[in-house]
Structure formats: structure tokens, C-alpha cells
Amino acid sequence: MSIKPRVQSPRSDTGNLIRDSALGLVPETLPHYLQLTVAIWDKGPLTPAEIELARLRNAGHVGCVMCQAVRYDIAVEDGLSEEVVSSMRAEDGGLTARQQSIVRFVDHYLHNPSKPDPELQTALDEQLSEVEQVHLALLMAYFNGFSRCAVALGGMPDSMPRMEISVPR
């Protein structure tokens, strides 16, 4: 990936990762983006650790280096460990049935966004309520869209160290 961005970030240093990114060039959209971010992390039925698991799985598919390096503090506080992240990446069976269902849904969503096959749907129904399934689908649309935006705008380094940040408010 090129580390030269196609779009330069605004020359601001607000301390807010989003406001200081290229998204800050369109400031009238930021309040809505930030409201949606808060709603996804704080208002839905999935836990922060489950949301982060889905977000990281998406980041691996999209190739967003920054998204792969970031861990949201509320997900870590909720119990998402690097052991779980490694199990998700290796698919070595170290995940709970619920976590496996989330990962399988993310893979399905990203590769074939159609109705899940009966086996996956049964697993989802056993592990997640209908409301949780809707929340998962909505957060995948959100995470996938914004991580693709980040990659498409360029400026992504080849690698980044793991970092813990707070959900943008």
C-alpha cells in the first residue's frame, strides 16, 4: 500500500482521530458520523467485545492496516483479548460458539451478502437474537464502508503497531 495519501487530512490537531483524518475535510458530516458511532457501540444489543471482533474481522478482509492495529478501549475492558483476536485470525477453534457465529456471519456478509445458508442461519439463531443479528448486519455495513473509504483514500502505511483508542465521541 502507498503511504502517500490521495487526499490530505485537514491541518488540525483536535485530538479526535476522526476530525483530524481526511473525513474532517467534510465537517458537516462529522456530527452524524459520530452519532452513528456512539449508537453502534453504546446503544445496540451486542457487547463491545463482540462488536470489536466483527470490526477486526472486517479489517482483515478489507486490508485496512489502521483498522487492524486499533483496539477500542471499551472492547478490551469488556474482555476482548489478543488471544481471542489470534483465534479469530487463525480460526483454530479457540472461539466460543457465539464468537464463531459472529465471525462466520462477517465472512458471509463480506463474501456473499445474501441470505445465509441453512447451517449458518441455524447457528446464528442459536447464538444471536433477531435484534442482535440486525445490529451485526448494520455495524458491518458501517465498518465495511468506512474501512474501505480509508483504504481508498490512500496514505495507509504497510504496518502499524497495535494501539488502544477510545470510541470517537
Side-chain angles (χ1 to χ4, degrees):
M1 292 194 187
S2 170
I3 57 173
K4 182 174 175 26
R6 290 187 321 101
V7 177
Q8 294 295 321
S9 298
R11 302 216 186 284
S12 63
D13 188 16
T14 68
N16 182 292
L17 184 69
I18 303 306
R19 291 183 195 286
D20 296 337
S21 75
L23 297 178
L25 291 171
V26 191
E28 59 275 9
T29 65
L30 290 179
H32 307 288
Y33 169 83
L34 295 172
Q35 283 179 324
L36 182 56
T37 299
V38 170
I40 282 175
W41 284 94
D42 294 347
K43 308 291 186 205
L46 295 173
T47 69
E50 293 167 339
I51 293 168
E52 185 75 329
L53 186 68
R55 188 191 68 77
L56 289 170
R57 186 65 171 195
N58 171 72
H61 281 285
V62 175
C64 182
V65 173
M66 187 184 107
C67 298
Q68 292 176 63
V70 165
R71 302 293 181 276
Y72 283 100
D73 58 354
I74 61 174
V76 173
E77 290 167 12
D78 189 45
L80 185 77
S81 67
E82 289 306 305
E83 182 179 275
V84 170
V85 173
S86 294
S87 292
M88 177 216 31
R89 289 182 178 148
E91 298 182 40
D92 67 359
L95 301 176
T96 66
R98 184 172 169 91
Q99 291 168 330
Q100 288 172 2
S101 294
I102 290 169
V103 168
R104 286 181 60 207
F105 176 83
V106 170
D107 292 347
H108 175 80
Y109 178 94
L110 295 172
H111 292 298
N112 183 18
S114 62
K115 182 178 180 183
D117 63 53
E119 180 186 344
L120 175 55
Q121 190 60 60
T122 297
L124 290 168
D125 290 342
E126 288 174 357
Q127 298 300 321
L128 302 169
S129 70
E130 287 182 347
V131 173
E132 290 170 326
Q133 290 178 46
V134 171
H135 187 221
L136 182 58
L138 290 172
L139 68 90
M140 281 310 306
Y142 170 82
F143 290 141
N144 190 252
F146 278 97
S147 61
R148 287 180 182 275
C149 179
V151 171
L153 291 174
M156 199 66 59
D158 290 332
S159 66
M160 290 178 72
R162 183 193 172 283
M163 66 183 106
E164 193 170 303
I165 65 172
S166 296
V167 172
R169 304 274 190 224

Short mmCIF file of all heavy atoms in Angstrom, two decimals, residues 79-137:
data_model
loop_
_atom_site.label_atom_id
_atom_site.label_comp_id
_atom_site.label_asym_id
_atom_site.label_seq_id
_atom_site.Cartn_x
_atom_site.Cartn_y
_atom_site.Cartn_z
N GLY A 79 -13.40 -7.46 27.75
CA GLY A 79 -12.83 -8.80 27.74
C GLY A 79 -12.24 -9.28 26.42
O GLY A 79 -11.80 -10.42 26.33
N LEU A 80 -12.23 -8.43 25.40
CA LEU A 80 -11.61 -8.87 24.14
C LEU A 80 -10.10 -8.90 24.33
O LEU A 80 -9.47 -7.87 24.54
CB LEU A 80 -11.96 -7.95 22.97
CG LEU A 80 -11.41 -8.49 21.65
CD1 LEU A 80 -12.25 -9.64 21.13
CD2 LEU A 80 -11.33 -7.40 20.61
N SER A 81 -9.52 -10.09 24.26
CA SER A 81 -8.09 -10.26 24.45
C SER A 81 -7.40 -10.51 23.12
O SER A 81 -8.05 -10.86 22.13
CB SER A 81 -7.83 -11.45 25.39
OG SER A 81 -8.24 -12.66 24.74
N GLU A 82 -6.10 -10.35 23.11
CA GLU A 82 -5.34 -10.65 21.90
C GLU A 82 -5.39 -12.15 21.60
O GLU A 82 -5.26 -12.54 20.45
CB GLU A 82 -3.89 -10.16 22.03
CG GLU A 82 -3.76 -8.66 21.97
CD GLU A 82 -4.40 -8.03 20.73
OE1 GLU A 82 -4.06 -8.42 19.60
OE2 GLU A 82 -5.28 -7.16 20.90
N GLU A 83 -5.61 -12.96 22.61
CA GLU A 83 -5.78 -14.40 22.40
C GLU A 83 -7.03 -14.68 21.55
O GLU A 83 -7.00 -15.49 20.62
CB GLU A 83 -5.88 -15.12 23.74
CG GLU A 83 -6.01 -16.62 23.62
CD GLU A 83 -6.08 -17.27 25.00
OE1 GLU A 83 -5.00 -17.53 25.56
OE2 GLU A 83 -7.21 -17.53 25.47
N VAL A 84 -8.12 -13.97 21.86
CA VAL A 84 -9.35 -14.11 21.07
C VAL A 84 -9.12 -13.61 19.65
O VAL A 84 -9.52 -14.26 18.68
CB VAL A 84 -10.53 -13.36 21.74
CG1 VAL A 84 -11.74 -13.30 20.81
CG2 VAL A 84 -10.91 -14.02 23.05
N VAL A 85 -8.44 -12.48 19.51
CA VAL A 85 -8.15 -11.93 18.17
C VAL A 85 -7.31 -12.92 17.38
O VAL A 85 -7.59 -13.18 16.20
CB VAL A 85 -7.44 -10.55 18.29
CG1 VAL A 85 -6.99 -10.06 16.92
CG2 VAL A 85 -8.36 -9.53 18.96
N SER A 86 -6.30 -13.51 18.00
CA SER A 86 -5.46 -14.51 17.32
C SER A 86 -6.27 -15.73 16.92
O SER A 86 -6.10 -16.27 15.82
CB SER A 86 -4.29 -14.92 18.21
OG SER A 86 -3.42 -13.85 18.40
N SER A 87 -7.16 -16.17 17.82
CA SER A 87 -8.01 -17.33 17.50
C SER A 87 -8.91 -17.02 16.32
O SER A 87 -9.13 -17.87 15.45
CB SER A 87 -8.87 -17.72 18.70
OG SER A 87 -8.08 -18.23 19.73
N MET A 88 -9.43 -15.79 16.26
CA MET A 88 -10.29 -15.39 15.15
C MET A 88 -9.51 -15.42 13.84
O MET A 88 -9.99 -15.90 12.84
CB MET A 88 -10.85 -13.99 15.39
CG MET A 88 -11.68 -13.51 14.23
SD MET A 88 -11.61 -11.76 13.81
CE MET A 88 -10.03 -11.16 14.21
N ARG A 89 -8.31 -14.93 13.87
CA ARG A 89 -7.49 -14.87 12.66
C ARG A 89 -7.04 -16.26 12.22
O ARG A 89 -6.99 -16.56 11.04
CB ARG A 89 -6.29 -13.97 12.89
CG ARG A 89 -6.67 -12.51 12.97
CD ARG A 89 -5.47 -11.63 13.13
NE ARG A 89 -5.87 -10.23 13.16
CZ ARG A 89 -5.26 -9.31 13.84
NH1 ARG A 89 -4.20 -9.62 14.58
NH2 ARG A 89 -5.67 -8.06 13.81
N ALA A 90 -6.70 -17.11 13.19
CA ALA A 90 -6.20 -18.45 12.87
C ALA A 90 -7.33 -19.44 12.65
O ALA A 90 -7.11 -20.50 12.07
CB ALA A 90 -5.30 -18.94 13.99
N GLU A 91 -8.52 -19.09 13.12
CA GLU A 91 -9.67 -19.99 13.04
C GLU A 91 -9.31 -21.37 13.62
O GLU A 91 -9.65 -22.40 13.06
CB GLU A 91 -10.18 -20.10 11.61
CG GLU A 91 -10.67 -18.77 11.06
CD GLU A 91 -11.22 -18.88 9.66
OE1 GLU A 91 -11.92 -19.86 9.37
OE2 GLU A 91 -10.95 -17.96 8.87
N ASP A 92 -8.63 -21.35 14.76
CA ASP A 92 -8.15 -22.59 15.36
C ASP A 92 -9.09 -23.20 16.38
O ASP A 92 -8.74 -24.11 17.10
CB ASP A 92 -6.78 -22.37 15.99
CG ASP A 92 -6.83 -21.42 17.19
OD1 ASP A 92 -7.91 -20.93 17.53
OD2 ASP A 92 -5.76 -21.19 17.79
N GLY A 93 -10.31 -22.68 16.44
CA GLY A 93 -11.27 -23.26 17.35
C GLY A 93 -11.23 -22.69 18.76
O GLY A 93 -11.88 -23.21 19.64
N GLY A 94 -10.49 -21.62 18.98
CA GLY A 94 -10.41 -21.03 20.31
C GLY A 94 -11.54 -20.07 20.64
O GLY A 94 -11.53 -19.45 21.68
N LEU A 95 -12.51 -19.97 19.76
CA LEU A 95 -13.63 -19.05 19.97
C LEU A 95 -14.83 -19.79 20.54
O LEU A 95 -15.03 -20.97 20.27
CB LEU A 95 -14.04 -18.39 18.65
CG LEU A 95 -12.97 -17.57 17.91
CD1 LEU A 95 -13.52 -17.07 16.58
CD2 LEU A 95 -12.47 -16.42 18.76
N THR A 96 -15.66 -19.06 21.26
CA THR A 96 -16.93 -19.63 21.73
C THR A 96 -17.85 -19.82 20.52
O THR A 96 -17.62 -19.26 19.44
CB THR A 96 -17.62 -18.70 22.74
OG1 THR A 96 -18.02 -17.50 22.05
CG2 THR A 96 -16.71 -18.37 23.92
N ALA A 97 -18.91 -20.57 20.71
CA ALA A 97 -19.88 -20.78 19.62
C ALA A 97 -20.48 -19.45 19.18
O ALA A 97 -20.70 -19.21 17.98
CB ALA A 97 -20.97 -21.75 20.06
N ARG A 98 -20.74 -18.56 20.13
CA ARG A 98 -21.29 -17.24 19.79
C ARG A 98 -20.28 -16.44 18.97
O ARG A 98 -20.64 -15.83 17.96
CB ARG A 98 -21.66 -16.52 21.08
CG ARG A 98 -22.35 -15.17 20.86
CD ARG A 98 -22.85 -14.62 22.19
NE ARG A 98 -23.28 -13.26 22.08
CZ ARG A 98 -24.52 -12.86 21.79
NH1 ARG A 98 -25.47 -13.75 21.57
NH2 ARG A 98 -24.82 -11.57 21.74
N GLN A 99 -19.03 -16.42 19.39
CA GLN A 99 -17.99 -15.71 18.64
C GLN A 99 -17.82 -16.30 17.24
O GLN A 99 -17.67 -15.58 16.27
CB GLN A 99 -16.67 -15.74 19.40
CG GLN A 99 -16.67 -14.91 20.66
CD GLN A 99 -15.47 -15.19 21.54
OE1 GLN A 99 -14.91 -16.30 21.56
NE2 GLN A 99 -15.05 -14.18 22.30
N GLN A 100 -17.85 -17.62 17.15
CA GLN A 100 -17.74 -18.27 15.85
C GLN A 100 -18.88 -17.85 14.93
O GLN A 100 -18.67 -17.61 13.74
CB GLN A 100 -17.73 -19.79 16.00
CG GLN A 100 -16.47 -20.35 16.59
CD GLN A 100 -16.58 -21.84 16.89
OE1 GLN A 100 -17.59 -22.47 16.62
NE2 GLN A 100 -15.53 -22.39 17.48
N SER A 101 -20.09 -17.76 15.48
CA SER A 101 -21.24 -17.34 14.68
C SER A 101 -21.05 -15.91 14.17
O SER A 101 -21.38 -15.61 13.02
CB SER A 101 -22.53 -17.43 15.50
OG SER A 101 -22.81 -18.77 15.80
N ILE A 102 -20.53 -15.03 15.01
CA ILE A 102 -20.28 -13.65 14.59
C ILE A 102 -19.26 -13.62 13.47
O ILE A 102 -19.47 -12.97 12.44
CB ILE A 102 -19.84 -12.80 15.81
CG1 ILE A 102 -21.03 -12.60 16.75
CG2 ILE A 102 -19.24 -11.47 15.35
CD1 ILE A 102 -20.66 -12.01 18.10
N VAL A 103 -18.17 -14.33 13.63
CA VAL A 103 -17.11 -14.37 12.60
C VAL A 103 -17.65 -14.97 11.31
O VAL A 103 -17.39 -14.45 10.21
CB VAL A 103 -15.88 -15.14 13.12
CG1 VAL A 103 -14.90 -15.45 12.00
CG2 VAL A 103 -15.20 -14.35 14.23
N ARG A 104 -18.40 -16.03 11.42
CA ARG A 104 -18.97 -16.66 10.21
C ARG A 104 -19.93 -15.72 9.50
O ARG A 104 -19.96 -15.66 8.27
CB ARG A 104 -19.67 -17.98 10.57
CG ARG A 104 -18.68 -19.10 10.90
CD ARG A 104 -19.37 -20.40 11.23
NE ARG A 104 -20.20 -20.86 10.12
CZ ARG A 104 -21.27 -21.62 10.25
NH1 ARG A 104 -21.67 -22.02 11.45
NH2 ARG A 104 -21.96 -22.01 9.21
N PHE A 105 -20.73 -14.98 10.27
CA PHE A 105 -21.63 -14.01 9.64
C PHE A 105 -20.84 -12.93 8.92
O PHE A 105 -21.18 -12.55 7.79
CB PHE A 105 -22.57 -13.37 10.66
CG PHE A 105 -23.43 -12.31 10.02
CD1 PHE A 105 -24.59 -12.66 9.34
CD2 PHE A 105 -23.06 -10.98 10.03
CE1 PHE A 105 -25.37 -11.70 8.71
CE2 PHE A 105 -23.83 -10.00 9.40
CZ PHE A 105 -24.98 -10.36 8.74
N VAL A 106 -19.80 -12.41 9.55
CA VAL A 106 -18.97 -11.37 8.91
C VAL A 106 -18.39 -11.89 7.61
O VAL A 106 -18.45 -11.22 6.57
CB VAL A 106 -17.85 -10.88 9.86
CG1 VAL A 106 -16.86 -9.99 9.13
CG2 VAL A 106 -18.45 -10.16 11.06
N ASP A 107 -17.84 -13.09 7.62
CA ASP A 107 -17.29 -13.67 6.40
C ASP A 107 -18.35 -13.80 5.32
O ASP A 107 -18.12 -13.46 4.16
CB ASP A 107 -16.68 -15.05 6.68
CG ASP A 107 -15.43 -14.99 7.54
OD1 ASP A 107 -14.87 -13.88 7.73
OD2 ASP A 107 -15.02 -16.06 8.04
N HIS A 108 -19.52 -14.27 5.71
CA HIS A 108 -20.62 -14.42 4.76
C HIS A 108 -21.03 -13.06 4.21
O HIS A 108 -21.19 -12.89 3.00
CB HIS A 108 -21.82 -15.10 5.43
CG HIS A 108 -23.02 -15.19 4.55
ND1 HIS A 108 -23.14 -16.15 3.58
CD2 HIS A 108 -24.13 -14.42 4.47
CE1 HIS A 108 -24.29 -15.97 2.94
NE2 HIS A 108 -24.90 -14.92 3.47
N TYR A 109 -21.19 -12.09 5.08
CA TYR A 109 -21.59 -10.74 4.68
C TYR A 109 -20.60 -10.17 3.66
O TYR A 109 -21.01 -9.56 2.67
CB TYR A 109 -21.66 -9.85 5.92
CG TYR A 109 -22.01 -8.41 5.61
CD1 TYR A 109 -23.32 -7.98 5.68
CD2 TYR A 109 -21.03 -7.49 5.25
CE1 TYR A 109 -23.67 -6.66 5.39
CE2 TYR A 109 -21.36 -6.17 4.96
CZ TYR A 109 -22.67 -5.76 5.02
OH TYR A 109 -22.99 -4.47 4.73
N LEU A 110 -19.33 -10.36 3.90
CA LEU A 110 -18.31 -9.77 3.03
C LEU A 110 -18.12 -10.52 1.72
O LEU A 110 -17.74 -9.92 0.72
CB LEU A 110 -16.98 -9.66 3.79
CG LEU A 110 -17.01 -8.71 4.98
CD1 LEU A 110 -15.72 -8.82 5.78
CD2 LEU A 110 -17.27 -7.28 4.54
N HIS A 111 -18.36 -11.82 1.72
CA HIS A 111 -18.14 -12.61 0.51
C HIS A 111 -19.39 -12.84 -0.32
O HIS A 111 -19.32 -13.01 -1.52
CB HIS A 111 -17.53 -13.97 0.87
CG HIS A 111 -16.15 -13.87 1.40
ND1 HIS A 111 -15.09 -13.37 0.68
CD2 HIS A 111 -15.64 -14.18 2.61
CE1 HIS A 111 -14.00 -13.39 1.40
NE2 HIS A 111 -14.31 -13.87 2.58
N ASN A 112 -20.55 -12.88 0.34
CA ASN A 112 -21.78 -13.22 -0.36
C ASN A 112 -22.96 -12.66 0.41
O ASN A 112 -23.63 -13.39 1.13
CB ASN A 112 -21.90 -14.74 -0.50
CG ASN A 112 -23.12 -15.14 -1.28
OD1 ASN A 112 -23.72 -14.36 -2.00
ND2 ASN A 112 -23.53 -16.39 -1.12
N PRO A 113 -23.21 -11.36 0.31
CA PRO A 113 -24.25 -10.75 1.14
C PRO A 113 -25.66 -11.13 0.72
O PRO A 113 -26.46 -10.30 0.32
CB PRO A 113 -23.98 -9.25 0.97
CG PRO A 113 -23.38 -9.14 -0.39
CD PRO A 113 -22.57 -10.40 -0.57
N SER A 114 -25.93 -12.41 0.80
CA SER A 114 -27.26 -12.93 0.51
C SER A 114 -27.76 -13.63 1.77
O SER A 114 -27.09 -13.63 2.80
CB SER A 114 -27.18 -13.93 -0.65
OG SER A 114 -26.35 -15.03 -0.28
N LYS A 115 -28.92 -14.20 1.66
CA LYS A 115 -29.46 -14.93 2.81
C LYS A 115 -28.48 -16.05 3.19
O LYS A 115 -28.02 -16.79 2.34
CB LYS A 115 -30.82 -15.51 2.44
CG LYS A 115 -31.47 -16.24 3.58
CD LYS A 115 -32.83 -16.77 3.21
CE LYS A 115 -33.33 -17.46 4.45
NZ LYS A 115 -34.51 -18.10 4.42
N PRO A 116 -28.16 -16.15 4.49
CA PRO A 116 -27.25 -17.22 4.91
C PRO A 116 -27.81 -18.60 4.58
O PRO A 116 -29.02 -18.80 4.56
CB PRO A 116 -27.15 -17.03 6.43
CG PRO A 116 -27.53 -15.61 6.66
CD PRO A 116 -28.54 -15.28 5.60
N ASP A 117 -26.89 -19.55 4.34
CA ASP A 117 -27.33 -20.91 4.12
C ASP A 117 -27.95 -21.45 5.40
O ASP A 117 -27.77 -20.88 6.49
CB ASP A 117 -26.17 -21.79 3.64
CG ASP A 117 -25.05 -21.92 4.66
OD1 ASP A 117 -25.33 -22.28 5.83
OD2 ASP A 117 -23.89 -21.65 4.30
N PRO A 118 -28.74 -22.53 5.30
CA PRO A 118 -29.46 -23.03 6.49
C PRO A 118 -28.55 -23.34 7.68
O PRO A 118 -28.92 -23.08 8.83
CB PRO A 118 -30.15 -24.30 5.98
CG PRO A 118 -30.34 -24.05 4.51
CD PRO A 118 -29.12 -23.26 4.08
N GLU A 119 -27.36 -23.85 7.44
CA GLU A 119 -26.44 -24.18 8.54
C GLU A 119 -26.01 -22.92 9.29
O GLU A 119 -26.04 -22.87 10.52
CB GLU A 119 -25.22 -24.92 8.01
CG GLU A 119 -24.22 -25.29 9.09
CD GLU A 119 -22.95 -25.90 8.53
OE1 GLU A 119 -22.92 -26.32 7.36
OE2 GLU A 119 -21.97 -25.93 9.28
N LEU A 120 -25.63 -21.88 8.56
CA LEU A 120 -25.23 -20.63 9.19
C LEU A 120 -26.42 -19.99 9.89
O LEU A 120 -26.31 -19.50 11.02
CB LEU A 120 -24.61 -19.66 8.19
CG LEU A 120 -24.25 -18.27 8.73
CD1 LEU A 120 -23.34 -18.34 9.94
CD2 LEU A 120 -23.62 -17.43 7.62
N GLN A 121 -27.58 -19.99 9.25
CA GLN A 121 -28.76 -19.38 9.86
C GLN A 121 -29.13 -20.09 11.15
O GLN A 121 -29.48 -19.44 12.14
CB GLN A 121 -29.95 -19.37 8.90
CG GLN A 121 -31.10 -18.53 9.41
CD GLN A 121 -30.72 -17.07 9.61
OE1 GLN A 121 -30.31 -16.40 8.68
NE2 GLN A 121 -30.84 -16.57 10.84
N THR A 122 -29.01 -21.41 11.18
CA THR A 122 -29.29 -22.15 12.41
C THR A 122 -28.32 -21.75 13.51
O THR A 122 -28.71 -21.50 14.65
CB THR A 122 -29.22 -23.67 12.16
OG1 THR A 122 -30.23 -24.02 11.22
CG2 THR A 122 -29.39 -24.47 13.44
N ALA A 123 -27.03 -21.64 13.17
CA ALA A 123 -26.02 -21.22 14.15
C ALA A 123 -26.32 -19.81 14.66
O ALA A 123 -26.23 -19.55 15.86
CB ALA A 123 -24.63 -21.29 13.54
N LEU A 124 -26.67 -18.91 13.75
CA LEU A 124 -26.99 -17.54 14.15
C LEU A 124 -28.21 -17.52 15.08
O LEU A 124 -28.22 -16.84 16.11
CB LEU A 124 -27.25 -16.66 12.92
CG LEU A 124 -26.02 -16.33 12.07
CD1 LEU A 124 -26.45 -15.70 10.75
CD2 LEU A 124 -25.06 -15.43 12.83
N ASP A 125 -29.25 -18.27 14.70
CA ASP A 125 -30.47 -18.30 15.51
C ASP A 125 -30.22 -18.90 16.90
O ASP A 125 -30.86 -18.50 17.87
CB ASP A 125 -31.57 -19.09 14.80
CG ASP A 125 -32.10 -18.37 13.57
OD1 ASP A 125 -31.89 -17.15 13.44
OD2 ASP A 125 -32.72 -19.05 12.72
N GLU A 126 -29.29 -19.84 16.99
CA GLU A 126 -28.97 -20.46 18.28
C GLU A 126 -28.16 -19.51 19.16
O GLU A 126 -28.24 -19.58 20.38
CB GLU A 126 -28.20 -21.76 18.07
CG GLU A 126 -29.05 -22.88 17.52
CD GLU A 126 -28.25 -24.13 17.17
OE1 GLU A 126 -26.99 -24.12 17.29
OE2 GLU A 126 -28.87 -25.12 16.76
N GLN A 127 -27.36 -18.66 18.55
CA GLN A 127 -26.42 -17.84 19.31
C GLN A 127 -26.81 -16.37 19.46
O GLN A 127 -26.39 -15.71 20.40
CB GLN A 127 -25.02 -17.92 18.67
CG GLN A 127 -24.42 -19.31 18.67
CD GLN A 127 -24.26 -19.85 20.08
OE1 GLN A 127 -23.90 -19.12 21.00
NE2 GLN A 127 -24.56 -21.13 20.28
N LEU A 128 -27.58 -15.85 18.50
CA LEU A 128 -27.91 -14.43 18.48
C LEU A 128 -29.41 -14.23 18.32
O LEU A 128 -30.04 -14.93 17.51
CB LEU A 128 -27.20 -13.72 17.33
CG LEU A 128 -25.67 -13.80 17.28
CD1 LEU A 128 -25.16 -13.28 15.94
CD2 LEU A 128 -25.06 -13.00 18.41
N SER A 129 -29.97 -13.28 19.03
CA SER A 129 -31.37 -12.94 18.84
C SER A 129 -31.53 -12.25 17.48
O SER A 129 -30.55 -11.85 16.85
CB SER A 129 -31.85 -12.00 19.95
OG SER A 129 -31.25 -10.72 19.80
N GLU A 130 -32.77 -12.09 17.05
CA GLU A 130 -33.02 -11.37 15.79
C GLU A 130 -32.49 -9.95 15.87
O GLU A 130 -31.90 -9.44 14.92
CB GLU A 130 -34.51 -11.37 15.46
CG GLU A 130 -35.04 -12.70 15.00
CD GLU A 130 -36.52 -12.65 14.64
OE1 GLU A 130 -37.21 -11.65 14.97
OE2 GLU A 130 -36.98 -13.62 14.03
N VAL A 131 -32.68 -9.29 17.01
CA VAL A 131 -32.20 -7.92 17.18
C VAL A 131 -30.68 -7.88 17.09
O VAL A 131 -30.10 -6.98 16.46
CB VAL A 131 -32.70 -7.34 18.53
CG1 VAL A 131 -32.08 -5.99 18.82
CG2 VAL A 131 -34.22 -7.24 18.53
N GLU A 132 -30.01 -8.85 17.69
CA GLU A 132 -28.54 -8.91 17.61
C GLU A 132 -28.07 -9.16 16.18
O GLU A 132 -27.06 -8.59 15.74
CB GLU A 132 -28.00 -10.00 18.55
CG GLU A 132 -28.15 -9.65 20.01
CD GLU A 132 -27.85 -10.81 20.94
OE1 GLU A 132 -28.14 -11.98 20.58
OE2 GLU A 132 -27.31 -10.54 22.03
N GLN A 133 -28.80 -9.98 15.44
CA GLN A 133 -28.44 -10.23 14.04
C GLN A 133 -28.57 -8.96 13.20
O GLN A 133 -27.72 -8.67 12.36
CB GLN A 133 -29.29 -11.36 13.46
CG GLN A 133 -28.96 -12.72 14.05
CD GLN A 133 -29.84 -13.83 13.50
OE1 GLN A 133 -30.04 -13.92 12.30
NE2 GLN A 133 -30.34 -14.68 14.38
N VAL A 134 -29.61 -8.19 13.45
CA VAL A 134 -29.79 -6.92 12.72
C VAL A 134 -28.67 -5.95 13.10
O VAL A 134 -28.08 -5.31 12.24
CB VAL A 134 -31.18 -6.32 13.00
CG1 VAL A 134 -31.28 -4.91 12.43
CG2 VAL A 134 -32.27 -7.21 12.40
N HIS A 135 -28.38 -5.86 14.38
CA HIS A 135 -27.30 -4.98 14.84
C HIS A 135 -25.98 -5.38 14.17
O HIS A 135 -25.23 -4.51 13.69
CB HIS A 135 -27.19 -5.05 16.36
CG HIS A 135 -26.22 -4.07 16.95
ND1 HIS A 135 -25.38 -4.40 17.97
CD2 HIS A 135 -25.96 -2.76 16.68
CE1 HIS A 135 -24.64 -3.35 18.30
NE2 HIS A 135 -24.98 -2.35 17.53
N LEU A 136 -25.70 -6.66 14.10
CA LEU A 136 -24.48 -7.15 13.47
C LEU A 136 -24.43 -6.77 11.99
O LEU A 136 -23.40 -6.30 11.49
CB LEU A 136 -24.36 -8.67 13.65
CG LEU A 136 -23.13 -9.35 13.09
CD1 LEU A 136 -21.85 -8.77 13.67
CD2 LEU A 136 -23.21 -10.86 13.36
N ALA A 137 -25.54 -6.92 11.29
CA ALA A 137 -25.58 -6.56 9.87
C ALA A 137 -25.37 -5.05 9.69
O ALA A 137 -24.63 -4.62 8.79
CB ALA A 137 -26.91 -6.99 9.25
#
